[in-house]
Structure formats: structure tokens, C-alpha cells
Amino acid sequence: MMENLVSNWFDGGILPDSYVLPPEKRPGKLIFPVAKMIPVIDFENHDRRSTIHQILEACQDYGLFQVVNHGVPRDLMDETMNVMKKFHEMPTKDKASECSKDPERSCRFYTSSENYTSEKVHYWRDAVIHHCDPLDDYMQFWPENPTAYREVVGQFTIAVRKLASLILDLIGEGLGFNPGHFGGEYSKKPMLLVNHYPPCPDPSLTLGLAKHCDPSVITIILQGDVPGLQVFYDEEWFVVEPLAHAFVVNLGYILQIMSNGKLKGAVHRVVTSSTVARTTASLFIYPSEDSVIEPQTALVNASNPPLYRAFLYKHFSTKYISATADAKTVEQFILKTSTDDHDGHGDVDDNLDLTK
Ligand code: OGA
Ligand code: NI
């Protein structure tokens, strides 16, 4: 499989058939409108109420926003981008061996997706993913080369997790949840994904990452200065504009469910470029495996019956992976059906299907 890394065999040739998407999934055109309507929220505005208001509006409308002056040092963002690029420039066998230190596979290197062998079409991306909490347990399995990787990426994950928890506190406050609502089990399993999208022979026929909504609570993305990330809004694709030293924040399915649909998960994808390589980092905030995910009682009442059923996070994530993020399959899994009870009080025992 490793000989198939997209960073390996681009030689200016034509796009192999195995990367050509069916017509309805292709980007087709190469120029897309920029998502100028997506809010860019300044965290140095010290008016907490106004910040919360801006975040909630963005999460209701788009499920996605950008943050600037967020407290993560610019040097650290630049150093992280550099070390991630250097990692992906290394020879394949080095990348593979740097990511196979843990027999439990808490750090993994793959191309296209984790379903490479079973997927119908491949995507133009190489990736490293690893756990980052507790840092001391997992860092020993991260790449040791480039030499700065552990130090820099370690600091980066600490800083970005701090930002994520601030954002979750603000969202929780805006939704009327108790302070610290997202602090424990719902943020237990952060993972860092380092994506690399090399120049591609034909960006109109393929994607770096398929249309999806993340299986996370929220995801914080460092996208650098190369465009590629797009958000689906009003049945159209828009470019999420690269802004210097900003982070893109997108909501995943879990926050959509917990907010009972008040906030929405962003549907997004990544297009490739024929001229420039693109490297990004996504920090996913995931709940613990045994967390019960359901609409939170503060948002459920007689006029707002629960839209989603209760389930264990691990059952959701198994479904998400086996369905390769297919929106219809995931929706079938999360939506309450007409046969579920609609009394507006989430009854975990009734709704929790432990068999799925
Ligand atoms: C992801 C993702 C966006 C990007 O990793 O889930 O959507 O720009 N990444 O790489
Ligand atoms: Ni994503």
C-alpha cells in the first residue's frame, strides 16, 4: 500500500483511473466562490457576550467559522506547519516507520483514507493521525523525525486544545449548559491529523477529501496559506478562505446532536491543486468511547422534541467508519424514527441501542 502514496508517484502524468470520481462527485470546475459570508471572529474582542453570540450564529448558519487573535502563538503555528511539511517530504519508508512505533496503532500513516483497500475510489491525500491525550502516554509513539516534530507538535496540540476548550465553553454558555459541560468525557479523546495533498494531475476529476461532516464534537483546522477546503452551503460549494494565522473551526455531528439540531455540523470537502502542495492539521475533539450522545435536556422540551436518539459514541464511530462517512447512513443511525418515543424526555434506556 505504501508504494501507492500520492506524494510518491506524481510524475506529471495523467490521473490514474482509481482516483477518478463518478461525474456527480467530481468538483468539475476549478474556480469556486469564496465563502465571504463565513464569520471571522476576533477573540481579542473582550466582550464575551458578543463573542458567544457571533459563534452561535455562525454555528447555526454554517457550522463553521474562523478565529483570529485566538492566543495560539504565531511562531508555533508557523513552526508546526514547517515541521508537518518536512515530515511529508521524507521518503515513504521513513514516514511509514516513524508512524509504526505503537503496536496498538495509536499513530498511523495512510494514503487516501483508512479504508484504502475497500474503497471504490481513492483520494489524493497522504495522512498521519495520532492521539494526543495524555501527551506523555502517546508522544513516545509519534514520529521522531523531523527531529523537532514531537516538541513542536506537542506544544501545538496543547495550545490548540486550550483554544478548543475555550470555544466549547463559549458554545456551552451560549446554549445554557452548565459550566464545564464539554470539559470531561466529551473532550476525552483528541486526535491530530496531519493531511498532505500533493499537486494533482487533474483537480477537476478527483478530491483530496470527500464530502463529509466530521464525527467529532468540534474540529480545529490549521489550513496554512493554500486554498482547498470548501464548505457546502445552500447547495453550493464555497472556498474557506486561507487567512494568515487564523484557525478554521468546524462543528461535527456530535455537537449537532447534543444541541438537538440547533447548531449544525459543517459539510465540507477538500479539492486539490495542479501546482501547489497543501499541508493541513486537523485537531479533532472526540468524546470518550462510552459517552452517551443525545440531545441535551436544556434544549429539549414539548415544542422541541428530540430529533436524535441516544447512543454510545463508540457505536456511532464504528458506523461512521464502516459507512465511510456516508451522510444518509449516518443520518439513519442518529435520527430518531417515528417509532421512537416523542415525549421530549430523552430516556436513555429506551433509546439506547447497545446492539448496533
Ligand atoms: C478533515 C478535514 C480539511 C483540510 O481532516 O476532516 O476536513 O483542509 N480537513 O485538510
Ligand atoms: Ni473534515
Side-chain angles (χ1 to χ4, degrees):
M1 188 265 252
M2 283 303 145
E3 63 279 9
N4 292 336
L5 295 184
V6 282
S7 51
N8 263 345
W9 48 262
F10 175 66
D11 57 1
I14 61 161
L15 186 73
D17 285 348
S18 57
Y19 288 84
V20 176
L21 287 160
E24 70 282 4
K25 293 190 174 163
R26 293 176 194 167
K29 58 181 184 172
L30 295 176
I31 312 267
F32 290 85
V34 174
K36 289 285 183 193
M37 67 291 191
I38 299 282
V40 179
I41 303 177
D42 184 348
F43 273 23
E44 258 170 28
N45 150 27
H46 292 292
D47 182 347
R48 193 174 169 95
R49 277 175 56 108
S50 131
T51 305
I52 290 172
H53 182 75
Q54 291 177 61
I55 294 177
L56 284 197
E57 291 253 287
C59 294
Q60 279 161 17
D61 295 343
Y62 312 108
L64 188 144
F65 57 95
Q66 303 213 47
V67 279
V68 292
N69 296 321
H70 38 61
V72 179
R74 293 179 171 198
D75 288 352
L76 183 57
M77 298 174 79
D78 295 341
E79 285 167 28
T80 301
M81 186 51 82
N82 286 336
V83 82
M84 296 192 308
K85 285 181 181 165
K86 277 203 189 127
F87 174 86
H88 279 288
E89 281 163 12
M90 297 194 312
T92 308
K93 67 170 185 8
D94 296 353
K95 287 185 275 197
S97 71
E98 290 298 330
C99 298
S100 25
K101 298 173 195 291
D102 184 4
E104 305 283 331
R105 295 177 39 83
S106 65
C107 178
R108 302 186 289 281
F109 181 55
Y110 57 87
T111 189
S112 180
S113 83
E114 299 214 57
N115 294 321
Y116 185 88
T117 48
S118 59
E119 68 196 6
K120 284 200 194 91
V121 182
H122 302 312
Y123 295 92
W124 200 260
R125 163 183 80 153
D126 296 334
V128 179
I129 189 161
H130 52 63
H131 284 270
C132 26
D133 186 38
L135 209 45
D136 287 343
D137 289 1
Y138 288 116
M139 211 199 266
Q140 57 182 313
F141 302 123
W142 292 5
E144 284 171 289
N145 283 301
T147 45
Y149 189 97
R150 289 185 182 176
E151 173 61 24
V152 170
V153 177
Q155 291 302 323
F156 180 78
T157 63
I158 291 171
V160 179
R161 287 187 60 202
K162 219 167 112 188
L163 173 62
S165 78
L166 169 61
I167 293 168
L168 285 173
D169 281 347
L170 295 169
I171 292 175
E173 195 173 321
L175 293 176
F177 297 167
N178 291 328
H181 187 78
F182 292 107
E185 59 173 329
Y186 300 122
S187 322
K188 262 265 151 44
K189 261 193 44 193
M191 291 186 87
L192 187 77
L193 172 64
V194 179
N195 292 302
H196 181 66
Y197 312 92
C200 172
D202 194 341
S204 71
L205 299 179
T206 193
L207 287 169
L209 204 46
K211 179 180 181 179
H212 70 285
C213 175
D214 291 350
S216 59
V217 181
I218 56 170
T219 307
I220 315 263
I221 302 169
L222 172 64
Q223 72 158 340
D225 51 12
V226 182
L229 177 61
Q230 299 188 337
V231 62
F232 197 58
Y233 176 71
D234 226 4
E235 303 300 308
E236 253 200 274
W237 287 105
F238 292 89
V239 178
V240 179
E241 191 173 16
L243 298 175
H245 297 111
F247 282 102
V248 177
V249 179
N250 75 266
L251 298 206
Y253 277 117
I254 301 308
L255 206 36
Q256 178 176 320
I257 295 162
M258 290 177 77
S259 70
N260 200 29
K262 193 170 157 77
L263 309 183
K264 66 179 199 192
V267 175
H268 55 287
R269 71 178 185 185
V270 174
V271 298
T272 60
S273 155
S274 59
T275 53
V276 268
R278 180 168 182 269
T279 304
T280 67
S282 305
L283 189 108
F284 298 97
I285 304 297
Y286 289 131
S288 63
E289 297 280 289
D290 290 315
S291 290
V292 174
I293 307 303
E294 63 183 332
Q296 304 297 283
T297 46
L299 298 174
V300 172
N301 53 45
S303 42
N304 294 291
L307 300 175
Y308 307 101
R309 66 189 190 90
F311 51 82
L312 294 185
Y313 182 72
K314 62 184 170 196
H315 295 152
F316 168 84
S317 78
T318 305
K319 191 65 167 187
Y320 183 93
I321 294 164
S322 70
T324 58
D326 175 67
K328 287 219 171 64
T329 313
V330 174
E331 260 163 37
Q332 263 174 21
F333 180 85
I334 64 180
L335 281 175
K336 243 176 141 37
T337 64
S338 51
T339 54
D340 292 333
D341 91 45
H342 269 274
D343 64 2
H345 304 283
D347 182 342
V348 174
D349 291 335
D350 271 5
N351 300 332
L352 196 61
D353 185 349
L354 299 171
T355 62
K356 288 205 178 131

